[in-house]
Amino acid sequence: MSRSREPVTATSVTEARAARRRLALSLGTASMLLLTTYTPASAGTRADDVFPVEDIRHLVENVRLTVESLDASESETRDDRTVTVTLTSDVLFAFDKWEVTGAARTRLARIADSIRTDAPDGVIEIAGHTDDQGSKAYNRRLSQRRAEAVRGVLAGLLSGRSVTLRASGHGETRPRVPNMVGNRPSAENRALNRRVEIVYEASR
């Protein structure tokens, strides 16, 4: 039985991002509590009961957070300072096309706002991906054209900023999930693999 999904809205994505930031803040607060309550081994305290400060910091700093829209068409993953925003191609382009749709431009405008806040300068990598339908050569060309189309829109939205935008197309070589499930093609998985990823380093 197929599972219905609620449509994604700008409000739902914004609320999800706010929840992610609150969680990150909570983790940071927890790390401070752990660090400030650390005391060296002393009389009455066994050495193996004391956790090294550097180990606690390592555990907290390597938390990977992912926020996904209700319809799985958009997600944001923060791994330390590396931010990866993933948009499925079905919400960016018409079938087999590489012109960015009007609705997609609204989403990209929101992402550009986040980049202005989180990464005022630096390199932004834009990577296009496809599913396994069609030839490998065609899929690579299509993914490259789609990545370049997204780069063009973001370049306009981030005009005047000290950022470098680089586009690359990987075709079907880097699937997010298997295209085949139980020796049968999965339409849902193929939709997830048709995507564009926007990757940048947050300044904080």
Side-chain angles (χ1 to χ4, degrees), residues 89-101:
S89 293
D90 294 357
V91 304
L92 291 172
F93 312 100
F95 175 73
D96 208 31
K97 304 296 183 183
W98 54 88
E99 293 85 6
V100 177
T101 66

Side-chain angles (χ1 to χ4, degrees), residues 96 129-145 169-173 190:
D96 208 31
H129 304 269
T130 68
D131 60 22
D132 61 343
Q133 300 179 89
S135 70
K136 288 181 172 59
Y138 178 82
N139 285 337
R140 187 174 291 277
R141 287 195 302 272
L142 179 61
S143 64
Q144 180 70 39
R145 287 168 174 167
H170 302 284
E172 61 189 82
T173 62
R190 280 176 166 172

Side-chain angles (χ1 to χ4, degrees), residues 160-172:
R161 298 282 171 169
S162 300
V163 295
T164 300
L165 296 101
R166 296 198 297 231
S168 58
H170 302 284
E172 61 189 82

